[in-house]
Amino acid sequence: MLLVIAAVLGVVLSAGAYGFLQLVDKFQHAVYTDLPQGLGFRSTPTWWPLPLLAVAGVLVALTVQYLPGNGGHQPAEGLKTHGGTATGRELPGILIAALLSLGLGAVIGPEAPLISLGGGLALYAFRLLKPDADARTQAVVAASGSFAAISALLGSPLLGAFLLMEASGLGGPMLGIVLLPGLLASGVGSLIFTGLGSFTGVSAGSLVIPSLPPVDRPDIAQFGWALAIGVAAALLGTAIHRLALGLQPRVNRRRLLMTPLMGLVTAGVAIAYVEGTGHPLTDVLFSGQSDLPQLLLHAGDYTAGALTLLVACKGIGYVVCLAAFRGGPIFPALFVGAAGGIAVSHLPGLPFVTGAAMGMGALVVAMLRLPMTSVLLATLLLGADGVTVMPLVIVAVVVCHVTASRLNRPAPVPAPTPGPVTDPGGGSVGTAAT
């Protein structure tokens, strides 16, 4: 019964995920291309993100504050896949906050809302059909819904399964219970997703980037770069994560003021990037999901200085959007990591495809702490080149994971200072630890 339900969920929820991603894409194009042209501008003005991201901040803040569900989980806290499936009454708030954040230019990804919406819709529908189902069966159905939704985004049933299993810590008997329905929902969902793209003629994009130049076998110099990139990504990812977590409570205390302000900061750094490099606003705005292939395919058009400024500006936008908006952390990390890796490739001994792969894998693991998923994301994205660079990506990911874990290790609690123990008769009889 669960396998049949999982297959049906794969069909319905992958179609829903396809529609969600298409809606986000149409929304972005409408407000950043069609609207300025309709108002008489030849192209999108450089200042255009300022009012849009301010409006996005106000609307997201109102959604989070007044609709149930907090607009979904706060992305500064990582990719949370446990802690309860969204209820039916929470789903509208999650959907609205995600559409506003993603559509109006926030530096945030679509994966977390899709996981929440997929699991929540699956559970809501299942409870209508079988209200007396036990808690474990409901958990399996909710997980299958999340599997179907996220595999549609990532373009691979196995990658979606790895992400959810590693993020949720599934293991033991429960892994066997969830795995088959989840994989079936993912597989059917991916087929439906592909079929919808062929039927409608509108593709939702693919993570695999074709036409990249072939890379040579790894050598000692590239191994050295893997170590360096792993450490650098750990430092950058730790800084982004700590700054976002530090900013989040301030945003939460004064949400209606701070969320629009964070939107203006994002717009400001995007404008600074355009003025400094001449490259488009979209390099900094949005998740980077659709712009990452263009960055890799046109890497030769970017100087080392432009790439460094891109890492700085998108990194700042990433920090403030993690703290204030709603979405997921994966795709901005992929984009910033790729830009950083390509920037490093301007130094001797590192092909740009290899640098981008190592940068992507390392920064994703710094943000998510999911090493298997990080390696797969960075290598599957590159198609045939991914197989060649995988050993280097693994080295960079492991070095980054270990370094970031050390950087984020809690400070040791100091041992209590021994003090005098007073004798009931009034005298001191020695010292003892508390």
Side-chain angles (χ1 to χ4, degrees), residues 321-351:
C321 291
L322 283 173
F325 289 89
R326 292 296 184 267
I330 293 178
F331 284 99
L334 282 170
F335 192 94
V336 173
I342 297 171
V344 174
S345 73
H346 284 260
L347 298 172
L350 183 63

Side-chain angles (χ1 to χ4, degrees), residues 5-6 8-18 20-21 72-73 80-81 84-88 90-92 94-95 98 110-127 137-153 164 181-182 185-186 189:
I5 291 172
V8 174
L9 288 174
V11 174
V12 175
L13 292 175
S14 63
Y18 178 88
F20 174 82
L21 294 173
H73 89 277
K80 295 174 67 176
T81 59
T85 304
T87 63
E90 294 173 344
L91 294 176
I94 295 172
L95 177 62
E111 64 281 354
L114 279 177
I115 291 171
S116 296
L117 292 168
L121 285 169
L123 185 58
Y124 179 75
F126 184 67
R127 283 175 173 170
T137 302
Q138 293 186 33
V140 173
V141 169
S144 298
S146 295
F147 271 61
I150 196 64
S151 68
L153 171 67
L164 288 174
S186 296

